[in-house]
Amino acid sequence: MTVEITLNDGNTIPQLGFGLFKVDPDETQRVVEQALEVGYRHFDDAKIYGNEEGLGRAIAASGIPREELFITTKLWRDDQGRDKPAAAIDASLERLGLDHVDLYLIHWPHPGDGLANDTWLAFEELKAAGKARSIGVSNFRIEDLEGIAKVSATAPAVNQVELHPRFQQTELRAYQEPRGIRTEAWGPLGQGKYEVAELPGLVRVAEAHGVSPQQAILRWHLQEGRIVFPKSSHPERIRENFDVFGFELTDDEMNVLRGLDDGTRVSTDPASW
Ligand code: NAD
């Protein structure tokens, strides 16, 4: 079972999905088929992950009606600008074997390139043409979101950013959520770059519900209203990460997780890239 979240354009997205970063292209079809079998219907991909074909093959083989799936992909840096996104999305659709994606994201703002606003204007046209049902951004800072607001009346449906217990993006969320921009948390488990079981109090919270620390973290994201798509290539973890609807964290337990932010970013800072 999963919950649907309504975006600012009226479309809905399954709140829990499956992430495809670092899923080996040769294994992608198998991994996605496994995830479909478990019940995932939302897949988060990107041109740069190099595995859109495998996702497309798994979708085609599944026989699951297209409208029951939610597929996201992302535009890479070299396709930014006013003219290039049209060809970029067509190439992604070709690899995916689809005629539209459900969500298309500008992968990074690259503030030094100065092309994000023009790219956004091109994205509005892709939505109007039906190539992407919803459009959004990723790794945008407040100033990048403000740049878009200056040139367009369309607010991004989502901003997909690094967000996990040690890096909770409080200021960014406070800016974007009242403006109808939903928060998608990438690296929701810290990308496995720190030992989550060592986070103070987390194991106690998990044990109180008979779940793993990772399941407790995913549950915390969901109860905070965020969209998440953990990645794993292991059948047991793929299953475990979807099994997060049978328990609920108390307010005190939510506060234990909220208190873990120590400003530790585990990946790239969008300001410097
Ligand atoms: P994640 O936080 O989902 O961590 C994945 C790693 O955590 C796995 O490789 C594994 O080592 C570990 N793990 C997963 N489930 C586990 C479990 N149940 N028990 C123990 N360990 C477990 O990190 P991610 O994959 O980087 O992020 C999720 C998705 O977010 C990506 O797959 C991708 O779709 C998206 N993403 C987007 C951006 C962006 O710039 N927009 C960047 C990174 C990731």
Side-chain angles (χ1 to χ4, degrees):
M1 103 139 236
T2 182
V3 172
E4 299 273 328
I5 295 240
T6 301
L7 302 173
N8 62 15
D9 58 9
N11 293 328
T12 60
I13 181 170
Q15 191 181 6
L16 177 63
F18 187 87
L20 284 155
F21 179 45
K22 292 203 170 156
V23 176
D24 184 328
D26 294 333
E27 277 192 57
T28 302
Q29 182 174 351
R30 169 193 68 80
V31 168
V32 172
E33 283 175 355
Q34 217 146 39
L36 287 167
E37 172 85 29
V38 167
Y40 293 87
R41 291 294 180 268
H42 164 189
F43 293 87
D44 184 83
D45 209 344
K47 170 191 172 182
I48 200 69
Y49 302 166
N51 53 22
E52 289 174 314
E53 285 98 340
L55 171 59
R57 280 195 297 275
I59 292 170
S62 74
I64 296 172
R66 176 67 185 87
E67 62 274 15
E68 291 178 20
L69 297 170
F70 191 101
I71 308 299
T72 297
T73 196
K74 312 186 191 84
L75 174 116
W76 192 239
R77 181 179 197 169
D78 47 9
D79 293 319
Q80 279 209 26
R82 194 70 181 79
D83 300 325
K84 291 184 183 172
I89 197 168
D90 281 346
S92 277
L93 292 172
E94 172 90 26
R95 288 187 289 271
L96 289 162
L98 301 176
D99 63 6
H100 70 276
V101 287
D102 298 280
L103 180 60
Y104 198 41
L105 304 181
I106 303 177
H107 204 145
W108 290 86
H110 299 293
D113 294 356
L115 293 171
N117 292 349
D118 274 354
T119 307
W120 184 252
L121 296 176
F123 266 43
E124 289 187 303
E125 291 168 6
L126 299 179
K127 179 170 164 58
K131 298 275 174 88
R133 294 189 70 229
S134 295
I135 51 176
V137 297
S138 178
N139 300 302
F140 274 46
R141 305 160 302 159
I142 292 174
E143 52 262 60
D144 303 317
L145 294 171
E146 284 179 335
I148 284 187
K150 285 197 185 105
V151 298
S152 166
T154 312
V158 306
N159 187 14
Q160 181 181 122
V161 293
E162 177 180 340
L163 205 169
H164 45 83
R166 297 184 66 181
F167 196 69
Q168 299 189 17
Q169 301 270 20
T170 309
E171 198 188 339
L172 180 63
R173 285 191 287 126
Y175 174 85
Q176 64 193 23
E177 284 163 12
R179 289 167 174 79
I181 303 169
R182 292 282 188 180
T183 303
E184 292 195 332
W186 67 251
L189 302 170
Q191 295 192 312
K193 289 182 180 165
Y194 55 83
E195 192 51 69
V196 297
E198 287 171 9
L199 294 171
L202 179 62
V203 167
R204 187 175 47 77
V205 169
E207 281 178 356
H209 296 278
V211 299
S212 70
Q214 285 80 9
Q215 286 172 305
I217 292 172
L218 293 172
R219 184 69 214 176
W220 163 71
H221 282 294
L222 296 174
Q223 286 182 222
E224 291 279 48
R226 291 190 284 269
I227 299 157
V228 274
F229 23 80
K231 173 261 170 182
S232 177
S233 298
H234 301 287
E236 280 318 307
R237 289 174 173 180
I238 292 174
R239 196 171 296 283
E240 176 184 323
N241 293 344
F242 200 69
D243 185 14
V244 289
F245 293 99
F247 65 102
E248 186 153 347
L249 303 183
T250 64
D251 289 346
D252 284 350
E253 291 167 341
M254 290 292 287
N255 284 332
V256 168
L257 276 98
R258 288 180 188 128
L260 295 173
D261 190 348
D262 62 4
T264 300
R265 210 187 259 288
V266 298
S267 188
T268 312
D269 184 344
S272 57
W273 197 46

